Amino acid sequence: MIAHIPDKREIISFGSGYGGNSLLGKKCFALRIASRIGRDEGWLAEHMLILGITNPQGEKKYIAAAFPSACGKTNLAMMQPTMPGWKVECVGDDIAWMRFDDEGRLRAINPENGFFGVAPGTSMDTNPNAMRTINRNTVFTNVAETSDGGVWWEGMEKPEEGVEITTWLGKKYDPTDKNMKAAHPNSRFCAPAAQCPIMDPAWESPEGVPIDAIVFGGRRPKGVPLVYEAFNWTHGVFIGAAMRSEATAAAEHKGKSIMHDPFAMRPFFGYNFGQYLSHWLSMQDRPNAKLPKVFHVNWFRKAEKGGFLWPGFGENSRVLDWICRRVDNEDCAQESPIGHIPAEGSLNLEGLKEAVDMQELFSLPRDFWTQEVKEIEKYFSQQVNDDLPNEIANELQKLGERVEKL
């Protein structure tokens, strides 16, 4: 059991089977306690990765992104772009502390000194920079072991012939047994950030890096398009508040249910959620505030026939390219009931190796969004109730009215 006493900035640990809690400086302090300190002092402690992205012209922007655990934060933070001439550098993959500087820019630091990533699914194909980071001086938990002294998990390249695998439960691994897992689905690696080959030069800068865009996202197999942009800051806060995602191994839920995870902070809020929303809304009242634009992404939408509609991983650089152009106020978007989506032909697909059904990827089914509005309304009513800021209630009402016209 982990107990938090925010008024005293105190954490009392009686042990925990979940690593994010066992590392008391991580979720317990850097999110739950820090979010309360941030509210009291006027800054934000968030469950967000921070990356720097540079285009072929040498123009660099910084993006903070909030995804639920095991939804691709580390993959995005260490992305190897497929678009020629683009470069991504990592500031952090999990937690961001953000405050405004004297010029009104929102700046972010990564308070952590390392990475604590989900192992299964991490490979040289999906995240080569993570694999290069963990090839030495790394602690692994609940992964499988190989007979030649290595580690292994689902998604990694197969060991050499003759090398045997022992599961995280100490049993001989049988790949033909579909019910057997070599590694626990939430098994982890823990490595120093300085070992990552693409750490941003400013990753330890005490003044932080200037945030140009904030991105929310999650696993939504149906209905939610690849990317859309908030109409304004208040609408962006609503988008964060309304975040929903398919449950993963990092959450306490089982199965494939769609769960509410506002700001990817549901397990990590250090104080009342309604007050948290008011705190976010108050950022726009700061003198000379230069607010980042807000976006929502969904790499995980599936086709009616099955299979992902978007290839993801390094190809996500195409979405970040569009986001950067929108930050620069390029006219490359069209209005939709849920926000600004890419105008036809504005997403750079040059060199994409597989065909993408853009129409299905960006479709907004009326029945889906009608139900989405109902689910958000129910969640706000049950979980926030009288503490819900009027601005957020108004955004929900306006979304419902726009969806009715679909």
Side-chain angles (χ1 to χ4, degrees):
M1 186 176 78
I2 308 290
H4 302 73
I5 307 175
D7 286 344
K8 294 183 178 180
R9 317 306 198 216
E10 186 177 358
I11 305 158
I12 304 173
S13 173
F14 297 93
S16 169
Y18 174 61
N21 286 332
S22 297
L23 302 171
L24 298 185
K26 193 170 177 65
K27 308 299 190 186
C28 297
F29 174 72
L31 284 180
R32 296 189 186 104
I33 297 297
S35 66
R36 171 63 185 276
I37 297 173
R39 188 202 69 172
D40 294 346
E41 297 182 355
W43 51 278
L44 299 165
E46 300 299 327
H47 188 205
M48 292 182 174
L49 67 90
I50 313 166
L51 64 82
I53 183 165
T54 306
N55 68 14
Q57 290 73 45
E59 299 165 336
K60 187 171 189 176
K61 290 180 171 57
Y62 285 97
I63 295 172
F67 304 155
S69 296
C71 283
K73 285 197 309 299
T74 302
N75 285 345
L76 186 61
M78 299 184 189
M79 182 174 63
Q80 200 161 287
T82 55
M83 295 177 68
W86 286 79
K87 179 172 70 172
V88 164
E89 292 169 297
C90 179
V91 177
D93 79 326
D94 194 46
I95 297 174
W97 288 358
M98 302 187 288
R99 69 166 71 232
F100 287 96
D101 64 18
D102 293 339
E103 297 178 353
R105 291 292 303 270
L106 188 63
R107 289 184 169 270
I109 66 165
N110 167 19
E112 300 190 278
N113 194 46
F115 301 117
F116 182 65
V118 175
T122 304
S123 69
M124 288 302 293
D125 287 334
T126 63
N127 194 338
N129 287 314
M131 296 299 287
R132 296 181 186 112
T133 300
I134 62 177
N135 65 6
R136 67 190 189 283
N137 193 28
T138 298
V139 175
F140 298 93
T141 56
N142 295 337
V143 299
E145 291 183 289
T146 59
S147 57
D148 61 354
V151 295
W152 195 84
W153 50 78
E154 282 74 8
M156 271 183 69
E157 296 76 10
K158 291 182 179 179
E160 293 181 5
E161 190 173 346
V163 174
E164 295 186 348
I165 297 173
T166 302
T167 74
W168 73 285
L169 293 174
K171 299 179 180 179
K172 184 177 180 180
Y173 179 57
D174 179 4
T176 65
D177 184 349
K178 301 303 180 184
N179 294 319
M180 179 178 282
K181 295 287 186 184
H184 187 281
N186 197 28
S187 56
R188 301 279 178 150
F189 56 80
C190 189
Q195 292 181 185
C196 177
I198 61 161
M199 288 307 288
D200 192 274
W203 85 275
E204 291 184 294
S205 170
E207 65 267 20
V209 297
I211 299 300
D212 297 290
I214 290 174
V215 179
F216 297 115
R219 289 179 177 266
R220 299 305 304 270
K222 296 180 180 179
V224 179
L226 177 64
V227 60
Y228 61 96
E229 175 192 345
F231 295 126
N232 51 50
W233 182 259
T234 300
H235 183 228
V237 176
F238 166 74
I239 289 172
M243 274 177 60
R244 303 177 70 212
S245 184
E246 192 173 71
T248 69
E252 69 271 27
H253 300 271
K254 295 184 178 180
K256 296 291 185 180
S257 60
I258 303 296
M259 57 180 274
H260 292 269
D261 195 350
F263 291 80
M265 282 283 287
R266 187 193 58 82
F268 311 125
F269 289 122
Y271 61 101
N272 176 285
F273 177 35
Q275 294 173 8
Y276 171 93
L277 293 175
S278 295
H279 183 51
W280 264 80
L281 289 168
S282 74
M283 296 298 139
Q284 61 193 326
D285 300 326
R286 297 300 177 91
N288 305 316
K290 299 177 178 68
L291 296 169
K293 289 198 172 188
V294 181
F295 300 84
H296 187 283
V297 298
N298 176 29
W299 320 129
F300 302 99
R301 189 166 181 175
K302 293 183 176 179
E304 291 295 330
K305 299 178 182 178
F308 292 112
L309 284 165
W310 181 250
F313 302 112
E315 302 296 0
N316 293 336
S317 56
R318 302 174 187 277
V319 176
L320 298 189
D321 164 43
W322 183 81
I323 288 174
C324 288
R325 286 186 279 133
R326 288 299 295 159
V327 169
D328 288 336
N329 296 313
E330 182 178 318
D331 185 10
C332 56
Q334 62 188 40
E335 191 170 318
S336 82
I338 65 170
H340 298 295
I341 62 174
E344 187 173 350
S346 66
L347 206 61
N348 186 347
L349 303 181
E350 185 177 349
L352 196 62
K353 294 180 180 179
E354 52 191 278
V356 173
D357 186 340
M358 299 298 285
Q359 187 170 350
E360 187 174 0
L361 188 60
F362 283 95
S363 66
L364 301 173
R366 189 176 188 274
D367 290 347
F368 172 89
W369 279 97
T370 299
Q371 185 60 35
E372 189 78 357
V373 169
K374 291 179 181 177
E375 292 292 341
I376 297 168
E377 185 175 23
K378 180 181 176 182
Y379 180 75
F380 286 169
S381 174
Q382 293 180 346
Q383 298 294 321
V384 197
N385 204 275
D386 292 343
D387 292 318
L388 186 71
N390 290 332
E391 297 94 328
I392 301 301
N394 291 339
E395 287 295 334
L396 177 59
Q397 181 181 343
K398 288 189 286 187
L399 174 62
E401 291 170 354
R402 293 192 299 267
V403 167
E404 283 182 5
K405 298 175 183 177
L406 272 171

